[in-house]
Amino acid sequence: MNNYKEKFEKMRVAGNLAAKTLDMLTENIKPGISTEKIDELGYEFIKDNGGYSAPLFYRGYKKSLCTSLNHVVCHGIPSDRILNDGDIINVDVTAIVDDHHGDTSRMFSIGKTPIKAKNLIDTTYEAMMKAIKILKPGVKLGDIGYEIQSHVEEKGFSVVRDFCGHGVSTKFHEPPNILHYGKKDSGAELEPGMTFTIEPMINAGKYETKLLQDGWTAVTKDKSLSAQFEHTLGITENGYEIFTESVKGYLKPPY
Ligand code: MF3
Ligand code: CO
Ligand code: CO
């Protein structure tokens, strides 16, 4: 892929706005806040900073971000649900700036959470970062999945199969699919200029998911807890760039 410098410049701007939105939300996500309020704060912040929330009106979705609580795997819809002590939640923000998308999510722990929830969140973050750290031209898509799956299964958790990471740039979702499980030295090779997400969804129990009646909310079939982190990344000549790095160093809870 020739001359991707301009694309990376734009991905950097969009990614940075998405990350700053999560940084702002981190300072507001506390017991007593509703997921709808999180949505409203995110919408306003992105708009006030020259962007647009990609989820809004995407395939009929009616909110600006996703709030996935406890056993929700992904695509939880903001509502009047209040966050309580012991909840864990993923907030997934996608900002569009100058036609380019920055897609990122983090976990939040509300008050005091069970040790199993903390382990699940830590393992999910570690798995994402292990996969990111191997990225460079020539590495294969299966190597990404292998890094995540081997780490997660060693800890006794499971990798969701029904959702995956994705190419992202001027489109919200584009090829290739980035599976979070896989075999070493299999699949397509990474090339300079590629931009995609890594966003493992990890369950405390089994990996099967179920879609709720609203057509969006995916939950664990066995009602076990689920966690997720997401970064938007670019492949450079000899490594990678994370476009959605926290500006405030908010990596994982506790923040
Ligand atoms: N941000 C999600 C992802 O990581 C996609 C959300 S689509 C929505 O790919 F419509 F539910 F917002
Ligand atoms: Co994504
Ligand atoms: Co996302």
Side-chain angles (χ1 to χ4, degrees), residues 54-66 75-76 92-94 103-105 164-166 172-173 197 199 216 228 230:
L56 191 58
F57 308 131
Y58 178 76
R59 301 186 179 199
Y61 193 75
K62 291 187 174 57
K63 296 287 175 179
S64 291
L65 46 75
C66 297
H75 305 162
D92 190 341
V93 166
T94 309
D103 187 7
T104 183
S105 78
C164 56
H166 49 93
F172 194 172
H173 298 103
T197 72
E199 51 179 304
W216 282 103
Q228 180 179 25
E230 176 175 22

Side-chain angles (χ1 to χ4, degrees), residues 93-109:
V93 166
T94 309
I96 305 176
V97 185
D98 202 359
D99 282 338
H100 286 65
H101 295 70
D103 187 7
T104 183
S105 78
R106 291 180 206 153
M107 293 302 296
F108 299 86
S109 297

Side-chain angles (χ1 to χ4, degrees), residues 73-93:
V73 171
C74 62
H75 305 162
I77 304 171
S79 71
D80 57 7
R81 169 67 152 79
I82 300 286
L83 300 186
N84 298 312
D85 202 70
D87 284 333
I88 63 166
I89 186 171
N90 173 279
V91 178
D92 190 341
V93 166

Side-chain angles (χ1 to χ4, degrees), residues 109-127:
S109 297
I110 311 304
K112 208 170 137 50
T113 52
I115 184 71
K116 177 128 184 188
K118 188 194 178 318
N119 288 339
L120 177 67
I121 290 171
D122 286 348
T123 299
T124 305
Y125 181 77
E126 289 157 10

